[in-house]
Structures are given as structure tokens and as C-alpha cells.
Amino acid sequence: MKAIQITATGGPEVLVLRDIEAPVPDDDEVLVDVLVAGVNYIDTYYREGVYHAGLPFVPGLEGTGRVVHDPQGEIAPGTVVAWCDAFGSYAEQVCVPRDRLVAVPEGVDPTVAASMLLQGITAHYLTYGVYDLQEGDSCLITAGAGGVGLLATQMAANKGARVYSVVSTDEKAELALEAGATEVFRYSENLAEIVRRRNGGVGVDVVYDGVGRDTFHESLEAVRPRGTVCLFGAASGPVEPFDPQLLNTHGSIFLTRPSIGAWTSGEGEFRMRAQAVTQAVVDGTLKFRISGEYALADAAQAHRDLQGRRTTGSIVLHVQD
Ligand code: NDP
């Protein structure tokens, strides 16, 4: 089968299309023909070696496609499914853990199905789990027009929260406002001061920060005493080590570094969040923006665009028709 295989970690150029052997599913997996693979920022961490995987490996964690073979005979061949957490999804076939897939409801666009779970579940656990926003709460979301950003903005706004979004361009500002942001700001050294001024002179209840190194200290500044800073990613690089005493000086604030793994590990939790996201897609209360569609062979360009901040919403790789 054709797959993007990484034999040495590094820049986008290490994403090379090769012919490799198709994987064979264990009993707790299902073999799937991949139609569309989702591209996520986490894929770049594996590609660069920031997150470790044994070499050689096929990157990618999510997608949509048709079931080829279920060793337990529970899922009929041809069933259209979507998944996240199936390492090796940038390929014509992948083995998907059976507890990490969902049936795709009829009418859902395959490009949306391919990107809805990883980013959708993340936005869900951030806004309903890590800090369960209530009506009238306020939040700050960095990279507000990105994949997770646009979804978290919609969920937070639907819950009646005030959403302050941070983006880098006018186009991204428009998109964040369309998604329900109350106000949109640019990254700046006095971002926290601006946010507090617009938020009635107080810090926000929660900051959802997926940018990391470049925004972390403004995130600590922007939150109210005893508020929560949720550092969920590192698009600008990992945060430098710091003295925990800082959390005290900012008013006994809470800092968490959550993962989708931990926030879907409870009994039935993956299914609950996946169901909520899928239902919201079907209802039309959660809209996905797919700003980039690439051929599997062009995975390197997809990574360049993602890391070059040229994408908005989600991006995908078309693997098979
Ligand atoms: P995005 O679509 O949000 O792309 C990243 C965005 O980050 C860019 O578009 C850009 O938006 C912003 N950014 C700011 N600074 C930089 C920089 N120096 N280099 C590149 N981008 C920068 O990606 P995803 O939605 O896939 O992921 C967003 C974040 O969420 C990532 O950090 C990812 O690791 C994290 N994540 C965490 C999960 C978890 O469970 N912990 C699960 C899923 C994602 P702008 O130009 O507006 O600044």
C-alpha cells in the first residue's frame, strides 16, 4: 500500500510517499481503507521527534474510511467510520483501535468526518471538562482561528461565555468573529492588559492556550485570581521551565497541561465526547472549516502550511477516492 513513511525525524521533507506492507489488525483493532486523513499539529511534533515514535513510522492519527476487516466480525465490511488515535493514518490502510472509532452519519462530508474527532473532542474536553464554562464566564483562546480554536470558540459561545480570541491576521479575525468570538485581538506584549480592560477590569476565568512558548506569560497575566490557565499545546514551541511561585504571584491560579488521552480515559468518556461532537455536526451547531485539501503525496506541503500559520480551521489529506 502507499503511505507516508518517516525514516528519520526532521522537517516536512521527511514526509515521503513509499510503498510499504499493509498493517494486520489485532483482535482489538479494525482494518480500514483510508479515504481522507486529518492533519493535526501533533503530527508535526512526531515528525520533528519532539514526541517519540520508533522509526520508521507512518504518521497521522485520524481520518475517515471504510472498514475492510474486523477480526471479531462485529463491524460489517464497507461501514464508513471516523477515528482518532490510530497511529499510521497517513496511509491507504490503517488498523484502528475498535474503541476509538465511530460510525459516520449519512450526509457528513468526508473531509469533515476526517477532522471532526481529534480537534472536536479536544475542544469539547477543554470547554466542558478542564474548565466547564458557564453562561457569563469569560475565556481567552489563543490561535482562535485554528482547528481547535474555531471549534472551542463555537462551543464556548454556545454555552453563553464571553470569548476573547487571539489571532495573527485580519482574515483569521473575521473567522473567529463568525465562530462567535466576542472580541478578537492580535498577539502583543500587553495582550493581558487589553483583555482585562475589555473584561470589566478583571482577568478571564480561563485561558485556553495552544500556542505555548510565545503566549504563556501573557496567559498567566490574563487570568483572574484563582482562575485556570489551560496550556494544551505548543504551536510556537514548548514553554521554558519556570518557578511555580509565579502561580502564587498571579493570585493562586491553576495551571494544567491536559491531553486528549487523559480526557477520554474514563469509562465511556471517548464515546460521550465523540457522540456530542458528531451530533453537533449533524445538528449544524458545530461547523468545521476545511481550509486545505491535499493529496497524500503532498503531506509535506500540508505540514509547511500548518507550521507557516497559513491555514485556518482544519486541513486534510485525500488518500483514496
Ligand atoms: P492550528 O490549526 O491551531 O494551527 C496552529 C496555529 O497556531 C497557527 O495557525 C497559528 O495561528 C498559531 N501559532 C501561533 N504561533 C505559532 C508559531 N510560532 N508557529 C506556528 N503556529 C503558531 O492547529 P491544531 O488545531 O491542530 O492545534 C492547535 C494546538 O492544540 C496545537 O498546539 C496542538 O498541539 C494542540 N492540541 C492539543 C491537544 C491536547 O489534547 N492537548 C489535542 C489537539 C491539539 P495564528 O497565526 O492565528 O497565531
Side-chain angles (χ1 to χ4, degrees):
M1 67 166 188
K2 297 231 179 300
I4 297 291
Q5 194 190 43
I6 293 180
T7 55
T9 54
E13 69 284 353
V14 303
L15 297 169
V16 177
L17 189 68
R18 293 196 166 88
D19 277 306
I20 63 170
E21 281 198 16
V24 178
D26 292 337
D27 265 7
D28 55 358
E29 295 174 330
V30 174
L31 183 67
V32 170
D33 265 340
V34 182
L35 300 176
V36 184
V39 177
N40 290 282
Y41 220 90
I42 191 173
D43 303 343
T44 71
Y45 305 148
Y46 279 107
R47 191 205 72 220
E48 289 172 347
V50 177
Y51 287 1
H52 298 288
L55 292 167
F57 68 89
V58 176
L61 289 166
E62 74 169 344
T64 188
R66 288 199 187 84
V67 170
V68 176
H69 173 57
D70 174 3
Q72 294 196 21
E74 287 171 356
I75 307 175
T79 305
V80 179
V81 292
W83 61 87
C84 63
D85 213 11
F87 206 66
S89 291
Y90 289 9
E92 288 181 330
Q93 292 196 326
V94 65
C95 292
V96 180
R98 67 175 63 246
D99 61 354
R100 285 293 178 271
L101 58 73
V102 297
V104 176
E106 216 159 290
V108 175
D109 185 306
T111 60
V112 171
S115 21
M116 70 182 178
L117 290 183
L118 206 152
Q119 294 173 350
I121 288 174
T122 300
H124 191 271
Y125 88 68
L126 293 176
T127 55
Y128 287 81
V130 170
Y131 191 97
D132 187 11
L133 287 165
Q134 306 296 314
E135 184 150 14
D137 281 348
S138 54
C139 65
L140 176 68
I141 302 179
T142 62
V148 175
L150 281 180
L151 302 175
T153 301
Q154 292 174 70
M155 288 183 192
N158 286 343
K159 295 182 93 181
R162 279 192 308 286
V163 183
Y164 303 110
S165 180
V166 196
V167 300
S168 64
T169 67
D170 287 348
E171 187 212 355
K172 290 182 178 188
E174 270 310 306
L175 292 170
L177 287 171
E178 270 170 34
T182 316
E183 285 197 64
V184 185
F185 307 111
R186 297 305 163 82
Y187 301 92
S188 81
E189 276 173 15
N190 58 349
L191 174 67
E193 191 190 315
I194 297 167
V195 169
R196 269 204 305 274
R197 209 183 303 140
R198 305 300 296 171
N199 193 45
V202 293
V204 292
D205 296 300
V206 55
V207 180
Y208 301 114
D209 186 359
V211 168
R213 185 165 53 206
D214 290 356
T215 47
F216 181 64
H217 285 278
E218 285 302 303
S219 295
L220 299 183
E221 292 274 352
V223 78
R224 66 163 165 80
R226 290 160 56 176
T228 298
V229 173
C230 171
L231 175 69
F232 69 97
S236 66
V239 169
E240 305 291 340
F242 69 96
D243 182 349
Q245 175 65 10
L246 257 187
L247 306 179
N248 174 7
T249 55
H250 285 291
S252 295
I253 61 176
F254 294 87
L255 172 67
T256 180
R257 175 57 178 91
S259 71
I260 190 171
W263 280 92
T264 51
S265 63
E267 181 72 33
E269 195 175 10
F270 170 80
R271 217 137 279 286
M272 177 274 286
R273 297 196 194 284
Q275 177 66 32
V277 170
T278 310
Q279 195 53 50
V281 168
V282 171
D283 294 346
T285 49
L286 186 64
K287 299 215 165 35
F288 278 71
R289 173 184 168 82
I290 314 297
S291 76
E293 300 183 43
Y294 306 78
L296 179 63
D298 297 329
Q301 189 56 46
H303 278 215
R304 279 188 201 102
D305 290 345
L306 183 61
Q307 291 185 288
R309 305 168 79 162
R310 288 184 287 276
T311 66
T312 53
S314 312
I315 60 172
V316 298
L317 305 176
H318 285 274
V319 181
Q320 301 180 72
D321 294 332

